[in-house]
Amino acid sequence: MFSTTFILCVLFTLLYGASLSYWFTFEGQTPLLLSLQGLLISFIALRLPGWIALIQGGSFLLTTFLLLAMHDGKSWELLLRQDFFIYVGLFALFRLMRLRRMREQEQRRFTEELTMMHEEQAITHDKLKQAHKELELATIQSLRNVVLEERSRIARDIHDSIGHRLTSVIVQMQAMPYAMRTDEENASLILKNVLDVTRGCLQEVRSIVHNMESNETGTGGVSLRSLVQHTASFSPLQIQLEMSEEAEKESWPLDITVVLYRCLQEAITNTIRHAYANRVCISVKQSEHEVVLHYRDDGILTPDSVWQEGFGLSGVRTRCKDMGGHCHIQAQEPQGIAIDIQLPLRANKEGDRFGQVKNPSGG
């Protein structure tokens, strides 16, 4: 395949040859030749790139001047003083037009590419929002699973312990009529055993109910401990989690639990990927109005290090800000990262219990 530039060069050469043939055939048509020469120079400047246009236009012009000097006896001084500057002016004018058109085309192409990039970014942003929403819902589901697993464990405990004891009570009560008719002393002993077993069952039921209440209100603490235990199971990182008594027992709104869970998950992931740390210390405290999480690792980051927050840590800041809280991230002495998260507790806790889950995206 021949390029467009080569085809244009051949076409302009054929047109130039045709104009010379016309000039030789019909003598005395020098003005027409010069006019055709001017049009050809203009098209060369407009259509051909760079040095190719200059070389071909210059060669045509030099050939024309040689023929006019040799055939018509025109002087070189006259040709250079008049015709040469006319052609140079035409060449420069159309060359500027070509450059302007090329700039406009480049600007138009740049605008189209920029528009396409914006459209792609908008599509990517929508996908990220959807993925973020799905991730939030998955986090809520994982927190639900933690509670359901705990409830299943309690149900098994009730079945294995209290169920067995009550079965024993039933068996002894069935034997009671026979014992009362034959041996009153043995009947009294059976009755005493039944009462002891029943009291034990009652005490165990109260203990289990108390644990269920604690687990119902302290689901945030359960989820954080579950995350730490899961991470420790596959990572050599030593993770220490300390929670105040209030944080262990008090109720957290679901959105607070989700944000703390995701922020702690991102902090641990950042440490595993980038910090080359051996140890992580986490403390969670709660007051009447706020929950505070302190995160420290012994990674390679130092106060003199040049570092930039990635997408993950920026997301931690954004989550805290969206909840009306604060997040402070910095390098600590002598090394490691320090992350301090402060989230306000909301008054309407009852509406955010697991039984009445709200859509975290606000829908």
Side-chain angles (χ1 to χ4, degrees):
M1 291 291 294
F2 295 106
S3 65
T4 303
T5 300
F6 177 79
I7 295 175
L8 288 175
C9 288
V10 172
L11 178 61
F12 290 146
T13 302
L14 293 176
L15 290 175
Y16 180 69
S19 64
L20 290 181
S21 299
Y22 180 84
W23 180 63
F24 279 115
T25 303
F26 301 98
E27 296 183 358
Q29 298 297 325
T30 300
L32 181 60
L33 174 65
L34 295 176
S35 298
L36 294 174
Q37 180 77 45
L39 289 174
L40 197 56
I41 292 293
S42 301
F43 276 106
I44 289 174
L46 189 62
R47 301 294 296 176
L48 295 181
W51 290 100
I52 297 178
L54 187 62
I55 292 172
Q56 188 168 41
S59 62
F60 287 175
L61 189 62
L62 179 61
T63 301
T64 301
F65 283 177
L66 285 174
L67 291 175
L68 289 176
M70 295 172 59
H71 190 270
D72 283 358
K74 290 186 175 292
S75 67
W76 281 97
E77 180 181 359
L78 180 63
L79 291 172
L80 293 176
R81 189 173 65 247
Q82 295 182 0
D83 298 325
F84 177 76
F85 285 105
I86 293 175
Y87 293 135
V88 169
L90 286 173
F91 185 88
L93 176 63
F94 281 90
R95 196 65 191 172
L96 289 175
M97 292 175 60
R98 171 184 169 84
L99 294 176
R100 180 179 178 182
R101 187 178 64 180
M102 290 177 62
R103 281 197 301 268
E104 291 176 351
Q105 292 176 349
E106 185 69 23
Q107 183 66 29
R108 185 162 52 252
R109 184 166 58 252
F110 175 77
T111 303
E112 292 174 354
E113 292 177 355
L114 192 61
T115 302
M116 291 179 61
M117 289 178 60
H118 286 166
E119 292 176 353
E120 292 175 357
Q121 287 179 351
I123 295 173
T124 303
H125 179 69
D126 292 339
K127 291 181 178 179
L128 285 174
K129 286 175 62 178
Q130 182 63 27
H132 175 77
K133 181 179 178 180
E134 293 175 356
L135 191 59
E136 294 288 352
L137 294 176
T139 301
I140 293 173
Q141 186 61 42
S142 68
L143 297 179
R144 286 176 175 171
N145 291 337
V146 170
V147 178
L148 291 176
E149 289 176 2
E150 185 66 14
R151 289 178 174 176
S152 298
R153 184 190 65 80
I154 293 173
R156 288 193 301 269
D157 290 344
I158 292 175
H159 178 271
D160 295 340
S161 62
I162 299 177
H164 175 75
R165 294 186 182 185
L166 291 178
T167 301
S168 174
V169 168
I170 292 173
V171 171
Q172 294 184 71
M173 290 297 293
Q174 287 175 343
M176 179 67 71
Y178 302 100
M180 291 178 64
R181 287 196 298 267
T182 58
D183 190 350
E184 292 185 2
E185 184 178 353
N186 188 31
S188 299
L189 181 60
I190 292 176
L191 181 59
K192 181 179 181 300
N193 290 336
V194 168
L195 289 174
D196 290 341
V197 172
T198 305
R199 290 191 183 100
C201 289
L202 179 60
Q203 183 61 34
E204 189 160 353
V205 167
R206 288 173 176 172
S207 176
I208 290 174
V209 170
H210 175 74
N211 290 334
M212 289 181 67
E213 290 176 349
S214 297
N215 288 332
E216 179 69 19
T217 56
T219 51
V222 172
S223 66
L224 297 186
R225 289 196 181 278
S226 175
L227 173 61
V228 170
Q229 292 171 2
H230 175 71
T231 305
S233 66
F234 70 84
S235 171
L237 192 65
Q238 299 179 13
I239 307 177
Q240 178 182 357
L241 174 62
E242 295 182 357
M243 300 187 69
S244 66
E245 184 177 354
E246 294 79 4
E248 287 277 12
K249 296 182 178 181
E250 185 63 25
S251 173
W252 293 354
L254 180 58
D255 47 4
I256 294 291
T257 301
V258 171
V259 169
L260 280 179
Y261 184 93
R262 297 296 299 155
C263 290
L264 180 58
Q265 186 181 49
E266 185 56 48
I268 293 176
T269 302
N270 182 76
T271 296
I272 293 175
R273 289 182 177 177
H274 307 296
Y276 300 98
N278 297 315
R279 185 177 178 83
V280 170
C281 295
I282 307 164
S283 67
V284 181
K285 300 179 181 179
Q286 179 177 332
S287 65
E288 182 180 356
H289 302 292
E290 64 182 11
V291 179
V292 179
L293 184 146
H294 300 292
Y295 182 94
R296 303 288 186 272
D297 70 25
D298 59 351
I300 61 175
L301 185 65
T302 64
D304 297 331
S305 301
V306 178
W307 64 291
Q308 185 177 4
E309 291 182 10
F311 181 78
L313 292 181
S314 298
V316 170
R317 289 187 182 276
T318 301
R319 289 176 183 274
C320 295
K321 182 179 179 182
D322 291 343
M323 291 297 300
H326 303 282
C327 176
H328 186 64
I329 304 175
Q330 65 177 4
Q332 64 173 346
E333 293 285 357
Q335 66 184 51
I337 195 170
I339 303 176
D340 298 307
I341 295 174
Q342 178 183 359
L343 299 178
L345 289 174
R346 296 181 179 178
N348 56 338
K349 296 178 182 178
E350 293 301 325
D352 289 331
R353 292 290 181 87
F354 284 96
Q356 300 178 12
V357 177
K358 295 179 180 179
N359 190 331
S361 63

